[in-house]
Amino acid sequence: MKDTAKHQGLRNQLVSTLQQKGITDLRVLDAIKKIPRHLFLNSSFEDYAYQDKAFPIGAGQTISQPYTVAFQSQLLEIKKDHKVLEIGTGSGYQTAVLCMMGAKVYSIERQNELFKQTSALLPKLGIRPKHLTFGDGYKGLPTYGPFDSIIVTAGAPIIPKPLMAQLKIGGRLVIPLGEEIQIMTLLIRKNETQFEKHELGEFRFVPLLEDKN
């Protein structure tokens, strides 16, 4: 579990790359500057951890490209102590970014292998989400809602209705929508029944699967 000056230098370079690509939220950039992404990857990828690339993490899943993590995090417009629901804990890297930004993070993972790995890793790094759970992301976490924002980190064919129901009025839901290629979609809840929808370009994600594995 080493984090060296060399790693820090590589993180600083990554932050510069993200700024060049249009990430402006200083809290997002600061979180990425501080979090040791190489510790979320298989050690064989360590030398590549600070490239702006996605990598496999087991169970057929990936750790998202840093730009994607930063882009989704920026869209959430997180304030300190916001309650954020994350669908797809995965490696825990996105979880760590949200925690570092001051959010109270509630996260669901449907792959038991990843859930166990991440539940063990995050406390070692001093990162403490409010709640990590093994379960079906399509259902959300109604007992803990409503949420200030919801982030989905896998491609979804539709926006699951339970997630829309668990979003506060004024809240933001960020979800990649589509089958092969996804359109990053932002929903802002205007009132009980109305949502404002924004489409923000193409991304590629692993699919959001129903039920747990």
Side-chain angles (χ1 to χ4, degrees):
M1 300 286 283
K2 285 214 306 270
D3 187 29
T4 64
K6 179 186 165 200
H7 292 127
Q8 185 60 64
L10 292 169
R11 282 203 288 283
N12 294 346
Q13 285 173 11
L14 174 59
V15 165
S16 299
T17 301
L18 297 178
Q19 286 175 304
Q20 286 159 16
K21 290 186 175 184
I23 302 298
T24 54
D25 186 319
L26 294 177
R27 280 187 311 164
V28 174
L29 294 166
D30 193 50
I32 286 171
K33 193 177 277 189
K34 287 180 178 156
I35 295 165
R37 187 175 186 246
H38 62 283
L39 299 179
F40 291 83
L41 290 167
N42 182 308
S43 57
S44 60
F45 293 115
E46 185 177 339
D47 292 345
Y48 309 102
Y50 297 105
Q51 293 179 9
D52 192 16
K53 291 196 172 109
F55 291 103
I57 53 168
Q61 304 300 299
T62 56
I63 182 172
S64 290
Q65 168 183 359
Y67 173 73
T68 305
V69 170
F71 188 80
Q72 283 195 286
S73 302
Q74 180 165 287
L75 284 177
L76 294 177
E77 295 189 357
I78 286 171
K79 308 275 187 289
K80 189 167 165 38
D81 291 337
H82 262 190
K83 277 172 73 178
V84 180
L85 174 61
E86 179 189 32
I87 308 300
T89 319
S91 68
Y93 180 70
Q94 174 74 74
T95 319
V97 169
L98 297 170
C99 289
M100 194 71 83
M101 289 173 70
K104 293 179 170 164
V105 182
Y106 298 76
S107 190
I108 308 178
E109 176 52 55
R110 64 176 293 284
Q111 301 284 353
N112 205 14
E113 172 195 341
L114 291 180
F115 170 69
K116 285 178 176 158
Q117 274 175 11
T118 302
S119 300
L121 174 66
L122 289 173
K124 286 182 193 161
L125 300 176
I127 292 159
R128 305 200 184 280
K130 289 297 279 185
H131 185 75
L132 286 180
T133 189
F134 168 58
D136 180 356
Y138 267 80
K139 298 189 177 82
L141 285 173
T143 42
Y144 293 96
F147 296 94
D148 293 292
S149 49
I150 298 175
I151 178 172
V152 180
T153 63
I158 51 141
I159 302 173
K161 291 275 187 291
L163 301 187
M164 292 169 74
Q166 289 166 43
L167 193 63
K168 276 186 189 169
I169 290 171
R172 301 165 79 85
L173 189 160
V174 175
I175 182 167
L177 277 182
E179 303 281 350
E180 290 295 308
I181 293 176
Q182 292 84 33
I183 302 294
M184 192 66 77
T185 306
L186 167 66
L187 283 193
I188 302 171
R189 185 167 202 168
K190 291 301 182 187
N191 53 40
E192 282 304 321
T193 56
Q194 287 175 304
F195 292 81
E196 182 182 293
K197 183 178 178 186
H198 302 263
E199 295 187 340
L200 300 148
E202 291 184 358
F203 286 78
R204 281 182 184 269
F205 282 80
V206 292
L208 177 67
L209 303 171
E210 250 183 293
D211 299 322
K212 51 194 187 191
N213 185 10

